[in-house]
């Protein structure tokens, strides 16, 4: 798991060459003005999901991980808590669903605040819980960029 501010995102393109496309998308778009929905960047290899939602209590959150895609979660407006725990410290509660590219887990991880202008990058071994409220629920706008893992 990596977390940083948007001006530094280009430094991580060595993790996966397609991360450069994700960085370019975030750097060249007014993310606050994007309408919710899916934006193709490089077909099904790199695409953005613009989300606008209310954060929720931790008790309603789900621990998840993906196998086919890296998750770049960029906070365009607002702040939320994100949970993180290495996959080897979790227990699978919902087996991997290839069509949805996710599995669900039981875990007790650590939480950090994702603030406006910052991103978190999750790899397949990074189980995470997104969308969690700070003290109270708030409306946020987040762009999740899915980056296909290179063979």
């Amino acid at each position: 798991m990596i977390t940083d501010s948007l001006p530094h995102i280009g430094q991580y393109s060595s993790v996966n060459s397609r991360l450069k496309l994700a960085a370019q998308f975030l750097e060249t778009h007014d993310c606050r003005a994007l309408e919710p929905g899916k934006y193709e960047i490089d077909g099904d290899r790199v695409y953005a999901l613009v989300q606008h939602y209310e954060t929720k209590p931790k008790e309603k959150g789900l621990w998840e991980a993906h196998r086919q895609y890296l998750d770049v979660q960029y906070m365009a407006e607002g702040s939320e808590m994100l949970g993180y725990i290495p996959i080897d410290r979790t227990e699978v509660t919902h087996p991997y669903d290839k069509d949805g590219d996710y599995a669900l887990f039981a875990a007790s991880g650590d939480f950090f605040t994702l603030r406006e202008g910052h991103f978190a990058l999750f790899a397949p071994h990074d189980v995470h819980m997104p969308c969690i409220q700070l003290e109270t629920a708030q409306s946020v706008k987040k762009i999740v960029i899915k980056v296909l893992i290179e063979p």
Side-chain angles (χ1 to χ4, degrees), residues 16-65:
N16 179 307
S17 65
R18 294 184 184 111
L19 276 175
K20 185 174 183 178
L21 295 172
Q24 288 171 343
F25 180 88
L26 292 171
E27 292 169 338
T28 60
H29 287 78
D30 179 358
C31 294
R32 296 173 64 108
L34 291 173
E35 292 295 320
K38 182 177 179 179
Y39 294 76
E40 286 191 13
I41 300 169
D42 184 22
D44 64 351
R45 291 175 294 280
V46 183
Y47 60 91
L49 301 171
V50 177
Q51 306 170 341
H52 188 245
Y53 57 87
E54 290 285 318
T55 57
K56 59 190 170 192
K58 201 182 289 186
E59 306 79 55
K60 293 187 177 183
L62 295 173
W63 290 100
E64 63 181 44

Side-chain angles (χ1 to χ4, degrees), residues 49-93:
L49 301 171
V50 177
Q51 306 170 341
H52 188 245
Y53 57 87
E54 290 285 318
T55 57
K56 59 190 170 192
K58 201 182 289 186
E59 306 79 55
K60 293 187 177 183
L62 295 173
W63 290 100
E64 63 181 44
H66 314 286
R67 289 186 188 169
Q68 297 177 38
Y69 290 89
L70 300 173
D71 254 9
V72 178
Q73 298 194 14
Y74 172 71
M75 187 59 64
E77 290 180 9
S79 297
E80 73 179 26
M81 297 286 285
L82 280 168
Y84 161 76
I85 188 167
I87 199 166
D88 61 356
R89 293 179 31 212
T90 66
E91 181 180 326
V92 175
T93 58

